[in-house]
């Protein structure tokens, strides 16, 4: 584990106010979800999960086919599909288009994919203004922070934190009422919507048989961002595809319920192509940027391919006892929580944060709530098997495996270890900091007590019966 | 003739909590089982498997297979170790079809203690008496990998003198997670404290679980906090009268 990871965890654990904020907010989502997926409320819930999993599996297994179909459908409706290898390619595309159109101002609706490729920074670097229009994202843009949670980006901010940010960045003092804070943001954003040349959105689903981009949201800002400006660019990972419009019946029933505990989000937009003759709103130009950024590499491994089924509902974060303690910013990349723990090593390489796949008690709460049934603990175990092994640990496990195949040696070693961790032994270890680096036992004792070893092992007692 | 069961007591019970193994044997014998303890047993290999050492885990798993292959029913005082054998052995031997099929056939005969009692032996009342207010901690692997929810509660419901008070939240991890508890000691400790607080809220004097490792973690946190709440394995409660 890197020092950075360790110190971020430590800092979050030590911050009582933050602990409370994370625990309360995730707890609210968690309880809300439980209510709407309960057996008596949604009896077909497990059936829906199985369907969603099968649909995602099928799509990911036949991605080439659906990408082609999607592209031809979008083009048939007058839109354009742009395939981008990586972050730089997306930025290039947007910058070139902005230049051609003489655009300066871009409004954005919430999109983890654009966070993944640091799009805002790249655009701002070239003199474009990109404004986040989702309330949470807007707050974070003011605070210059990364999203804390994939569904609720400003989950860690209380209204008092927001008041402080507004005071510093907007010079509006002492506004701690949430509704009024939202009104301030709305007023500031209205101007931006009207003046923007380009709207950039993400996508929750890309429907292959109809070429539609489906966006689910609660604030209506995505609807505005995708229809007010002349040009709309939807940016999405290639894994967002689903085969047919009718499959939305399955996914939409699961997404909002899993994310926020709503039966359905407030707004669900189906965008397919630019404004047609006779339509009153919609953009003149419609682009869908399909991002690879390492996704095709994930396809190569059949056991881990399921990582691409994710519909970014955030349920696994809310359920995760680790996320609920260490929060979103302890994670080394934009994707946090259980899904972040499996995506990060696969996208960024194991060396990005070697400790990440190990930062889990493998409790399985994530897999239990995942609407598309990604077996996250299984993928974590695979990533652990592939992780670079520390030399001392490797040696320890070789010794372990040898002992466990030699019962007599195991018994003897057990007695030796027991005398070491006997109460005198433990006192000695604890009183000799720095002298004796007896790693595991010391790490244990820093937080908890250890039971005194028994006078006799089970097998000794059994022999005496 | 009495039905025969073999104990796999797990390395942690053998080394640290022998009384749990003894209690389990006592309950099974009281129910009329002939109990055997294959002496060559050690560990299921989970520590290596969960830490990413598959080669080493395979070696230990192979030893387990050899020791228990000829046993009819194997009873284990741990949901986690049971799940290792039941769910992960087949995967470990994915490239060795013969060993894999041996592992699969063995897996069908390996049972976690509480579900052995209720599902295999068909017993819900073992005739125990335990005068205390207790709470029950669901070990995550028993709960989510083996789907054990009601078995221990049904057994506890039939213990005379026992009052069960459920935890709130009920199904949260205690933070043990094997090597996780030392690799991320501070985090694991924080999770254990959360569990300890939930336990205190119930007012129970005893915490019961199916997993000795969870109990060790919880006991460690309770004792560090200076609390006198004790931890017991279900077998110990069922053995008392
Ligand atoms: S992994 Fe599953 S639960 Fe987690 S965000 Fe993705 S879809 Fe939701």
């Amino acid at each position: 584990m890197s020092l950075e990871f360790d110190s971020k965890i430590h800092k979050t654990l030590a911050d009582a106010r933050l602990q409370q904020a994370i625990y309360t907010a995730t707890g609210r989502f968690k309880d809300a979800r439980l209510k709407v997926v309960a057996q008596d409320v949604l009896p077909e819930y497990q059936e829906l999960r199985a369907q969603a999993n099968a649909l995602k599996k099928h799509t990911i297994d036949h991605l080439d086919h659906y990408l082609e179909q999607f592209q031809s459908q979008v083009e048939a409706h007058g839109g354009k599909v742009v395939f981008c290898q990586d972050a730089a390619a997306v930025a290039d595309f947007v910058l070139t288009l902005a230049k051609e159109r003489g655009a300066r101002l871009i409004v954005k609706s919430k999109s983890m994919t654009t966070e993944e490729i640091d799009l805002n920074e790249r655009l701002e670097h070239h003199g474009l203004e990109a404004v986040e229009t989702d309330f949470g994202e807007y707050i974070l843009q003011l605070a210059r922070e990364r999203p804390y949670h994939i569904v609720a980006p400003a989950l860690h901010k209380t209204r008092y934190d927001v008041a402080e940010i507004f005071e510093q960045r907007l010079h509006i003092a002492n506004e701690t009422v949430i509704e009024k804070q939202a009104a301030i943001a709305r007023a500031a954003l209205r101007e931006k919507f009207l003046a923007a040349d380009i709207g950039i959105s993400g996508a929750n689903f890309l429907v292959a048989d109809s070429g539609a981009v489906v966006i689910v949201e609660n604030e209506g800002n995505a609807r505005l961002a995708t229809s007010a400006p002349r040009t709309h660019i939807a940016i999405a990972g290639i894994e967002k595809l689903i085969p047919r419009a009718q499959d939305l019946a399955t996914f939409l029933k699961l997404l909002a319920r899993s994310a926020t505990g709503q039966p359905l989000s407030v707004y669900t937009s189906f965008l397919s192509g630019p404004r047609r003759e006779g339509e009153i709103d919609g953009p003149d130009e419609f682009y869908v940027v399909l991002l690879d950024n390492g996704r095709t590499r994930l396809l190569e491994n059949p056991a881990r391919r399921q990582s691409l089924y994710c519909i970014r509902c955030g349920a696994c974060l809310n359920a995760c006892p680790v996320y609920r303690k260490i929060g979103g910013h302890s994670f080394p990349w934009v994707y946090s929580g259980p899904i972040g723990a499996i995506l990060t090593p696969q996208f960024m390489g194991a060396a990005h944060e070697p400790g990440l796949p190990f930062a889990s008690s493998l409790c399985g709460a994530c897999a239990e709530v995942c609407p598309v049934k990604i077996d996250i603990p299984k993928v974590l175990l695979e990533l652990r098997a592939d992780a670079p092994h520390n030399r001392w640990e490797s040696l320890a496990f070789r010794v372990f495996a040898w002992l466990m195949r030699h019962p007599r040696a195991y018994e003897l070693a057990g007695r030796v270890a027991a005398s070491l961790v006997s109460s005198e032994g433990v006192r000695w270890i604890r009183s000799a900091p720095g002298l004796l680096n007896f790693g595991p036992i010391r790490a244990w004792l820093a937080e908890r007590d250890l039971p005194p070893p028994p006078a006799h092992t089970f097998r000794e007692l059994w022999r005496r019966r | 003739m009495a039905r025969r069961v073999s104990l796999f007591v797990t390395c942690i019970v053998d080394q640290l909590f022998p009384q749990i193994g003894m209690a389990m044997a006592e309950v099974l014998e009281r129910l009329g089982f002939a109990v055997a303890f294959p002496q060559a047993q050690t560990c299921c290999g989970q520590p290596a498997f969960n830490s990413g050492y598959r080669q080493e885990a395979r070696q230990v798993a192979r030893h387990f297979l050899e020791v228990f292959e000829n046993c009819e029913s194997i009873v284990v005082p741990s949901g986690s170790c049971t799940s290792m054998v039941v769910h992960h052995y087949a995967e470990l031997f994915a490239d060795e079809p013969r060993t894999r099929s041996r592992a699969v056939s063995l897996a069908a005969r390996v049972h976690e203690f509480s579900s052995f009692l209720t599902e295999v032996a068909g017993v819900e009342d073992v005739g125990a008496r335990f005068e205390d207010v207790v709470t029950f901690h669901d070990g995550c692997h028993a709960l989510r990998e083996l789907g054990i929810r009601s078995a221990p509660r049904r057994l506890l419901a039939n213990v005379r003198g026992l009052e069960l008070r459920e935890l709130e939240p009920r199904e949260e991890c205690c933070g043990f997670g094997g090597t996780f508890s030392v690799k991320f000691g501070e985090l694991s400790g924080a999770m254990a404290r959360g569990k300890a607080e939930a336990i205190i809220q119930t007012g129970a004097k005893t915490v019961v679980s199916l997993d000795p490792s969870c109990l060790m973690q919880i006991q460690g946190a309770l004792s560090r906090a200076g609390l006198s709440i004790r931890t017991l394995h279900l077998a110990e409660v069922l053995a008392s009268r």
Side-chain angles (χ1 to χ4, degrees):
Chain A
M1 172 185 16
S2 74
L3 279 176
E4 194 188 343
F5 192 31
D6 203 28
S7 86
K8 282 179 178 166
I9 292 173
H10 173 75
K11 254 174 67 189
T12 313
L13 290 175
D15 185 336
R17 193 203 56 80
L18 186 55
Q19 285 290 306
Q20 188 60 44
I22 307 169
Y23 199 79
T24 313
T26 50
R28 239 194 323 264
F29 284 137
K30 198 169 122 107
D31 293 345
R33 174 195 161 275
L34 266 178
K35 281 204 187 91
V36 294
V37 302
Q39 179 65 32
D40 51 334
V41 180
L42 190 69
E44 70 271 33
Y45 173 58
Q46 292 303 340
E47 176 67 20
L48 287 168
R49 287 178 79 211
Q51 275 171 21
N53 176 276
L55 282 166
K56 275 290 178 186
K57 178 173 187 335
H58 170 83
T59 320
I60 300 291
D61 288 349
H62 303 86
L63 204 51
D64 288 0
H65 168 76
Y66 288 114
L67 282 169
E68 252 171 55
Q69 192 187 12
F70 177 74
Q71 179 178 21
S72 65
Q73 283 302 314
V74 171
E75 284 167 359
H77 292 112
K80 287 203 183 71
V81 172
V82 185
F83 288 91
C84 287
Q85 238 350 282
D86 53 20
V90 179
D92 273 354
F93 167 75
V94 177
L95 287 167
T96 310
L97 192 73
K99 201 163 176 196
E100 281 170 18
R101 304 291 180 271
R104 303 219 54 83
L105 176 63
I106 296 175
V107 280
K108 281 190 67 212
S109 64
K110 188 181 166 330
S111 147
M112 283 305 296
T113 311
T114 61
E115 295 285 346
E116 171 189 328
I117 55 175
D118 300 318
L119 187 65
N120 289 1
E121 290 73 13
R122 287 171 194 269
L123 298 181
E124 276 156 20
H125 186 73
H126 288 87
L128 286 174
E129 186 187 355
V131 182
E132 294 291 347
T133 62
D134 168 271
F135 184 45
E137 290 280 0
Y138 176 73
I139 292 165
L140 290 191
Q141 193 172 32
L142 288 180
R144 299 199 174 91
E145 283 183 31
R146 282 204 277 124
Y148 206 76
H149 183 284
I150 60 180
V151 168
L155 172 117
H156 59 309
K157 297 287 186 211
T158 63
R159 59 204 174 102
Y160 303 103
D161 297 328
V162 175
E164 222 168 88
I165 295 165
F166 277 13
E167 174 152 12
Q168 278 171 16
R169 310 277 301 156
L170 303 174
H171 311 294
I172 298 170
N174 255 335
E175 188 46 84
T176 55
V177 180
I178 296 174
E179 289 72 24
K180 291 196 177 149
Q181 292 172 341
I184 292 169
R186 250 195 315 272
L189 289 171
R190 191 169 306 132
E191 319 245 304
K192 302 289 183 187
F193 278 123
L194 293 174
D197 311 291
I198 296 177
I200 292 183
S201 74
N204 291 96
F205 304 100
L206 305 170
V207 187
D209 74 354
S210 50
V213 170
V214 179
I215 299 175
V216 167
E217 53 153 345
N218 279 329
E219 296 174 16
N221 64 306
R223 194 158 272 201
L224 264 176
T226 57
S227 60
R230 282 213 326 271
T231 305
H232 169 212
I233 307 173
I235 301 178
I238 49 175
E239 82 282 12
K240 288 284 157 68
L241 275 164
I242 59 169
R244 302 158 304 182
Q246 69 190 73
D247 301 328
L248 286 167
T250 303
F251 288 110
L252 291 178
K253 267 187 215 143
L254 288 169
L255 179 55
R257 284 185 168 87
S258 303
T260 52
Q262 295 165 285
L264 206 62
S265 303
V266 179
Y267 300 96
T268 304
S269 307
F270 299 78
L271 309 167
S272 46
R275 173 159 49 95
R276 264 151 271 178
E277 276 207 5
E279 287 180 348
I280 43 168
D281 60 4
D284 297 336
E285 295 183 291
F286 178 80
Y287 296 92
V288 184
V289 172
L290 294 179
L291 176 69
D292 185 332
N293 208 30
R295 286 163 174 79
T296 44
R297 205 174 24 178
L298 261 72
L299 286 176
E300 288 160 18
N301 186 317
R304 292 181 215 164
R305 193 181 277 183
Q306 55 175 321
S307 314
L308 292 175
Y309 300 177
C310 176
I311 57 172
R312 308 277 189 267
C313 72
C316 58
L317 281 66
N318 305 326
C320 176
V322 168
Y323 178 89
R324 299 183 77 194
K325 286 280 174 215
I326 72 174
H329 285 173
S330 294
F331 285 83
W333 198 33
V334 288
Y335 298 111
S336 55
I339 184 64
I342 63 170
L343 288 182
T344 306
Q346 299 187 81
F347 275 78
M348 310 294 278
H352 190 69
E353 175 43 72
L356 189 54
F358 296 89
S360 162
S361 62
L362 301 174
C363 79
C366 48
E368 188 177 40
V369 300
C370 177
V372 290
K373 298 182 83 164
I374 301 174
D375 192 343
I376 295 176
K378 184 184 161 86
V379 180
L380 281 175
L381 283 166
E382 295 251 340
L383 292 167
R384 289 181 182 191
D386 278 7
H389 290 324
N390 156 312
R391 191 146 45 99
W392 292 110
E393 198 187 73
S394 302
L395 181 65
F397 275 109
R398 274 212 296 281
V399 172
F400 162 82
W402 187 86
L403 284 174
M404 294 307 172
R405 277 176 294 145
H406 296 86
R408 278 176 205 289
Y410 151 85
E411 191 174 350
L412 183 67
R415 290 292 82 190
V416 173
S419 62
L420 258 181
V421 298
S422 63
S423 39
E424 305 87 70
V426 163
R427 210 172 305 128
W428 183 60
I429 292 166
R430 292 177 79 178
S431 65
L435 278 181
L436 181 76
N437 196 3
F438 206 64
I441 287 181
R442 195 127 57 139
W444 179 276
L445 287 174
E447 296 290 328
R448 294 141 291 206
D449 291 340
L450 201 61
H456 300 286
T457 61
F458 177 82
R459 66 189 65 223
E460 285 168 354
L461 295 179
W462 188 263
R463 276 187 217 123
R464 285 188 194 175
R465 293 207 330 161
Chain B
M1 206 182 75
R3 284 167 64 198
R4 216 179 148 72
V5 295
S6 302
L7 305 183
F8 169 52
V9 297
T10 77
C11 55
I12 179 173
V13 163
D14 182 29
Q15 294 294 327
L16 292 173
F17 304 103
Q19 71 280 10
I20 294 177
M22 298 306 281
M24 180 166 80
E26 198 181 320
V27 172
L28 290 167
E29 282 175 348
R30 209 184 281 161
L31 293 173
F33 288 96
V35 178
F37 174 74
Q39 293 273 345
Q41 67 179 270
T42 54
C43 169
C44 64
Q46 182 169 212
F49 182 72
N50 281 2
S51 302
Y53 292 84
R54 299 236 163 151
Q55 184 57 35
E56 287 75 6
R58 250 189 299 277
Q59 291 169 355
V60 180
R62 212 169 266 127
H63 178 76
F64 184 96
L65 279 181
E66 280 157 20
V67 173
F68 287 101
E69 198 144 39
N70 298 317
C71 300
E72 203 178 307
S73 294
I74 298 117
V75 187
V76 190
S78 158
S80 193
C81 306
T82 305
S83 179
M84 175 67 199
V85 178
V86 171
H87 287 300
H88 298 303
Y89 274 19
E91 186 189 335
L92 263 181
F93 295 112
D95 296 333
E96 301 173 39
R98 289 207 27 217
T99 319
R100 187 178 183 281
S101 70
R102 282 168 58 200
V104 170
S105 95
L106 179 67
R109 289 175 282 133
V110 176
H111 307 279
E112 182 282 323
F113 173 65
S114 73
S115 62
F116 177 81
L117 292 183
T118 58
E119 313 311 317
V120 183
V123 180
E124 299 201 350
D125 184 352
V126 300
R129 166 174 293 278
F130 190 81
E131 309 266 353
D132 204 357
V133 180
V134 309
T135 187
F136 183 78
H137 165 69
D138 289 277
C140 296
H141 293 165
L143 180 70
R144 300 197 181 90
E145 292 184 4
L146 301 175
I148 298 172
R149 264 189 182 80
S150 73
R153 292 182 168 83
R154 273 158 32 217
L155 289 158
L156 287 172
N158 286 307
V159 174
R160 306 224 175 4
L162 183 146
E163 183 194 339
L164 176 67
R165 294 200 193 143
E166 293 286 0
L167 288 164
E168 181 54 46
R170 186 162 136 174
E171 300 182 349
E172 203 159 87
C173 180
C174 68
F176 175 67
T179 47
F180 169 75
S181 66
V182 290
K183 279 190 176 158
F184 292 85
E186 189 185 0
L187 169 56
S188 166
M191 289 160 75
R193 278 193 294 281
K195 182 52 80 176
E197 275 157 32
I199 291 166
I200 296 167
Q201 289 302 317
T202 64
K205 296 283 173 293
T206 305
V207 189
V208 180
S209 182
L210 305 176
D211 273 90
S213 51
C214 301
L215 291 172
M216 180 167 79
Q217 163 90 344
I218 293 169
Q219 182 69 74
L222 290 171
S223 129
R224 180 59 57 94
L227 296 159
S228 59
I229 302 170
R230 65 180 164 170
T231 53
L232 287 178
H233 190 276
L234 178 72
E236 296 174 277
V237 175
L238 298 187
S240 69
R241 32 183 175 184

